Amino acid sequence: MRVVLCEKPSQAADVAKVIGATNRGQGCFTGPGLAVTYCIGHLMENAAPEDYGDRYKKWSLEDLPIIPSEWKMKAKPKTQSQLKTVKALLDKAKELVIATDPDREGELIAWEVIEHCGYKGPTLRMHLSALNQAAIKKAWANLRPASETINQYYSALARGRGDWLVGMNMSRLFTLLGAQAGYQGVLSIGRVQTPTLRIVVDRDRTIENFVAKPYWDLSVTLSHNKATFTAKWLPASAMDEQGRCSSEQAARQAEAAVLNTGVARVSAVATERVVEAAPLPFSLGDLQQACSAKLGLGAQQTLDIAQSLYETHKATTYPRADNGYLDESMHSEVPQIFAAMVRTDPSVATLVGRLDPQVKSRAWNSAKVTAHHGIIPTIEPANIERMSEREASVYRLIRAHFLAQFLPAHEYDKTIVQLTIADQEFKASGRLQQVVGWKAVMTDQGAKANEEAAGQEEAGQSSAQVLPDLVEGDRPKVIAAAGEKMMTTPPKHMTEGDLIKAMKGAAKLVSDPRLKQKLRDTVGIGTEATRAGIIETLLERGFIVKKGRTLRATDAAFTLIDSAPEALTNPGMTAVWEQALTMVEEGTMGLDDFVSRQSTWITQMVTKYSSTKMSFKLEPSPPCPVCQGQMRRRPGKTGPFWSCMTYPDCNGTISIEQKSKKSVSKRKPNRKAAAAS
């Protein structure tokens, strides 16, 4: 029997339908000599420290570093029944086809199960970049030896073991150091989590240390052929590093001279046609940024809604897309997608009727599609009335970006006019729309483009003004001049969308050219699938808090970032790891070599930082209701709680909400959760 191993149930259903496994079984689909089964993501996970010995149940500096001599994996409790199904099928298999996502993580999901089940037979690889019939048929007809991509598995295994070494050891180390300073919580550290936290800490620190400085602005209103427009002053002296006037006297003198002269002279006029292509369909990160800015949604909220649109409503495609490009083989399905959108929401019928489904935008590029194509509406109609208000809003955003692919480019003329008034230079900017193009569909859908239109406000001047016809030598009259004292402003606190963007663009935070390029190649720190979870983890563990739509670092976060090794707070660490992981994937570095190097490095880090002194603004803790000893604040599934410092010897806990009632609970906190991802 040939067994096909997919990553998710929905993926297995799509593949099974195409290759002839039409009978639904328990955890699988079957057909003549064929079975298609699935993993529900990871069915296996790394063993926890306590699985390597009872001594590790209690956290102790003397037991660090923890470095397994033989690495253990264990089945995830919630999906053990599916693992049994997969094992039963693999026990009967004469040939296995791996059909998980064609990336490092997909290889790991498949091979960790294969190794656990002890399957040793022939193994092939099916490369799926899309889940439409044409793409599945093509992939099924072009199976390749699994040996061609197995190094991706070793690379993923190396990353997982390296992350375990960092998370388990450094989290325990700094939690214990924090406890010595009286801190009541878990201080988790992770290769992705910690540099992400530093991004928020650095922004907050920049805002906290910002010193406002004055500068002076001068705006002039002019008239020409009965039309008025404004121009901004370009100071020639007394400028700060941003080119703004830092001298009130210079600004007042310029204002007086302009009013006294009363006439400007046009010294140059330049007009260019700006052509804006439609924004690509959404990747998950771009969708999270857009939903944060337009709808005020958090990263995890957006992911949950996108998952619901995909799984529950069948309205949009797989949400964890890492780019917005589309497979060219899917273009033939556009008329079906259009029809499904109209049936989903009849209000778009007129709009869709104006579009040409034969148009191919830059989004249709198979070469740029990676594990998943951009998020778009499906060929199956849904019912928008059954969606929540937020689900419908996110669906409309996704729909608008797809429909934009079938409209012309947005075009406008941008004009820059240089003027001289009393030996002072001024600039007026204007724009005149020529072709609405794809922006019409964004307006129709109540959504704006992801990127702001070119010609944004410059030095406070609206780029939306339409300038009169001007040519060099014209002499418009000065109607008014208004000088104004301004103050520099600090950057804004980050929203979740801003943080997602910063994680994707982490290359900007690194100075080393090689590391900068590596971060660009890997699209920053974290992945589309993990970034929302990282932010949620930071929130749950009390390192960041929400204030309105913005994120703020807590005192504990500042202390942790200041105390932790620079190598673990700098995004460049991820780039260094990616270089080594690429070497593992290419076969130029072995898995054992990578893990050995990480083990040596962790040992050095533990030795170097084990005597670190930390200082916190402490929240007073209540006495343990069982032994009257000191308690520590910990994160929990239902919220933070106090746990006895002597756990597991004493299991006393107090809910934060019930602190005043001194309620006692015997449940044991999840110590393993302290490890960072």
Side-chain angles (χ1 to χ4, degrees), residues 280-288 319 321-324 374-375 504 528:
L280 294 171
F282 284 114
S283 67
L284 175 58
D286 290 337
L287 181 63
Q288 287 166 323
D322 57 0
N323 69 68
I375 308 169
K504 292 180 69 173
E528 299 292 339

Side-chain angles (χ1 to χ4, degrees), residues 6 25 39-40 74 90 96 103 176-177 198 246 405 487 595:
C6 294
C39 289
I40 320 180
K74 62 181 183 180
L90 289 182
L96 173 65
D103 57 13
L176 291 167
L177 293 174
R198 179 175 170 175
S246 56
Q405 308 309 312
M487 298 297 291
V595 175

Side-chain angles (χ1 to χ4, degrees), residues 583-604:
M583 293 174 68
V584 175
E585 189 170 325
E586 293 172 346
T588 57
M589 178 187 291
L591 168 63
D592 291 341
D593 189 15
F594 176 89
V595 175
S596 176
R597 294 185 185 194
Q598 295 305 314
S599 299
T600 300
W601 182 75
I602 280 295
T603 300
Q604 293 170 347

Side-chain angles (χ1 to χ4, degrees), residues 231-293:
K232 305 301 292 185
W233 181 39
L234 303 176
S237 61
M239 293 185 293
D240 62 15
E241 62 276 5
Q242 301 298 321
R244 298 169 298 209
C245 178
S246 56
S247 167
E248 181 178 11
Q249 181 180 2
R252 297 304 178 198
Q253 289 175 347
E255 180 182 359
V258 165
L259 290 171
N260 185 56
T261 302
V263 178
R265 180 182 180 280
V266 176
S267 54
V269 179
T271 299
E272 65 170 333
R273 175 64 58 89
V274 178
V275 179
E276 289 183 348
L280 294 171
F282 284 114
S283 67
L284 175 58
D286 290 337
L287 181 63
Q288 287 166 323
Q289 291 175 56
C291 289
S292 174

Side-chain angles (χ1 to χ4, degrees), residues 51 114 205 213 232 267 357 399 450 532 548 608 641 677:
D51 295 316
I114 295 169
R205 186 160 275 157
K213 296 180 180 179
K232 305 301 292 185
S267 54
R399 181 178 67 187
N450 232 5
K608 181 177 180 179
F641 64 96
S677 54

Side-chain angles (χ1 to χ4, degrees), residues 8 272 373 390 526:
K8 297 168 285 290
E272 65 170 333
H373 59 72
R390 285 179 169 178

Side-chain angles (χ1 to χ4, degrees), residues 21 24 55 58 71 97 141 144 158 166 179 193 222 226 269 292 331 360 426 432 446 481 483 491 530 549 633 655 665:
R24 181 66 185 261
R55 61 185 285 197
K58 185 173 182 178
W71 289 85
V97 177
R144 294 156 53 187
V166 170
Q193 177 194 133
L222 304 111
K226 298 182 180 180
V269 179
S292 174
H331 194 269
K360 268 194 176 183
F426 289 80
L432 182 62
T530 62
R549 293 188 178 186
R633 182 187 177 104
S655 168
S665 169

